[in-house]
Amino acid sequence: MRIILFGPPGAGKGTQAKLIEKEYNIPQLSTGEMFRSAIKNQTPLGIKIKDILDAGKLVPDQTVVELVEEALNDEKFLNGYILDGFPRTVPQAKAFEERLKKNGKKLHSFLSLEVPDEELMKRILSRGEGRADDTPEKVKVRLEVYNEETAPVLNYYKQQGVYRAIDGLGTIEEIYARIKKVLDN
Ligand code: ADP
């Protein structure tokens, strides 16, 4: 199964991706985690993008697309994957669809975790992961960037017929149960 887990910052994509990964045995790929690890290890990529992540802005499409395409070539993703944090712009979505088409593959579902803005801010500020972009000002930037650049990806996938809305309010288990229902159908 090829799954995109979509949603605003703080919607719980990473948490739910890990649960799906465990139960369905499908590896996840998180662009945010890849970037944070590159920064931590001070790789050339990490050095290039540190300021962007710290500011809450988006890494340029070309950089992200190249990185994801390369990563997905790993054979562990041959039978499926969960994408967390990608695609985050319409050009990224188009590049990804292009790749699927080229490989004769199909997306199983585009799961959109829906959570109101006030709740997102609350969740991020209380999760205390110590991320440089988890301050009130940076979260505000990330939510703005989400609304302007990422939300249009929703419409793109609604047109593809794989879009499924998931109510992202409730306990982790409740939300996961909603996801399972969609995936098991
Ligand atoms: P969140 O969803 O909570 O913002 P992520 O871990 O998904 O956290 O992303 C953290 C940061 O990594 C983003 O604010 C952005 O700077 C960068 N990033 C992650 N994925 C992408 C992407 N697909 N395109 C551009 N930038 C990205």
Side-chain angles (χ1 to χ4, degrees), residues 9 13 31-32 36 53 57 59 64 85 88 92 131 142:
K13 302 182 294 285
T31 43
R36 278 189 292 279
L53 260 86
K57 305 250 170 77
V59 174
V64 185
R88 222 179 182 94
Q92 288 179 21
R131 274 172 54 174
R142 281 156 64 203

Side-chain angles (χ1 to χ4, degrees), residues 10-46:
K13 302 182 294 285
T15 305
Q16 297 297 333
K18 291 195 178 81
L19 294 174
I20 304 171
E21 174 171 50
K22 214 163 123 201
E23 181 164 351
Y24 293 82
N25 217 347
I26 311 172
Q28 63 138 334
L29 187 87
S30 157
T31 43
E33 275 175 21
M34 283 170 91
F35 291 140
R36 278 189 292 279
S37 137
I39 292 172
K40 199 167 134 228
N41 296 318
Q42 302 190 3
T43 68
L45 172 72

Side-chain angles (χ1 to χ4, degrees), residues 1-6 26 72 79-84 86-87 92-94 96-101 103-112 153-154 156-164 182-183:
M1 262 194 298
R2 286 168 208 84
I3 302 163
I4 292 176
L5 207 49
F6 184 86
I26 311 172
L72 286 181
N79 291 318
Y81 43 77
I82 308 155
L83 295 178
D84 159 12
F86 178 90
Q92 288 179 21
K94 287 188 173 155
F96 176 64
E97 285 308 311
E98 205 47 50
R99 179 200 163 92
L100 282 179
K101 217 157 107 199
N103 296 339
K105 307 276 191 200
K106 279 213 158 20
L107 188 67
H108 180 278
S109 31
F110 178 93
L111 303 175
S112 171
V153 173
L154 277 177
Y156 179 81
Y157 277 100
K158 278 181 187 165
Q159 289 161 12
Q160 318 276 319
V162 284
Y163 165 89
R164 296 284 178 281
V182 169
L183 293 182

Side-chain angles (χ1 to χ4, degrees), residues 46-168:
I47 292 165
K48 191 170 117 186
I49 60 169
K50 182 179 187 305
D51 290 347
I52 301 178
L53 260 86
D54 284 355
K57 305 250 170 77
L58 292 185
V59 174
D61 286 335
Q62 201 195 341
T63 306
V64 185
V65 168
E66 277 172 19
L67 186 79
V68 172
E69 299 234 325
E70 163 89 44
L72 286 181
N73 284 336
D74 190 315
E75 53 173 51
K76 76 172 178 184
F77 296 120
L78 209 63
N79 291 318
Y81 43 77
I82 308 155
L83 295 178
D84 159 12
F86 178 90
R88 222 179 182 94
T89 64
V90 172
Q92 288 179 21
K94 287 188 173 155
F96 176 64
E97 285 308 311
E98 205 47 50
R99 179 200 163 92
L100 282 179
K101 217 157 107 199
K102 208 173 76 202
N103 296 339
K105 307 276 191 200
K106 279 213 158 20
L107 188 67
H108 180 278
S109 31
F110 178 93
L111 303 175
S112 171
L113 279 173
E114 320 220 312
V115 179
D117 271 13
E118 319 82 72
E119 171 74 11
L120 296 170
M121 181 64 94
K122 246 190 353 217
R123 282 189 192 175
I124 296 175
L125 297 183
S126 66
R127 72 184 172 192
E129 283 174 1
R131 274 172 54 174
D133 59 350
D134 276 356
T135 64
E137 302 74 41
K138 302 297 165 54
V139 174
K140 195 165 162 269
V141 173
R142 281 156 64 203
L143 290 175
E144 278 165 14
V145 168
Y146 173 81
N147 287 322
E148 273 169 36
E149 300 185 57
T150 306
V153 173
L154 277 177
N155 288 325
Y156 179 81
Y157 277 100
K158 278 181 187 165
Q159 289 161 12
Q160 318 276 319
V162 284
Y163 165 89
R164 296 284 178 281
I166 306 284
D167 177 0

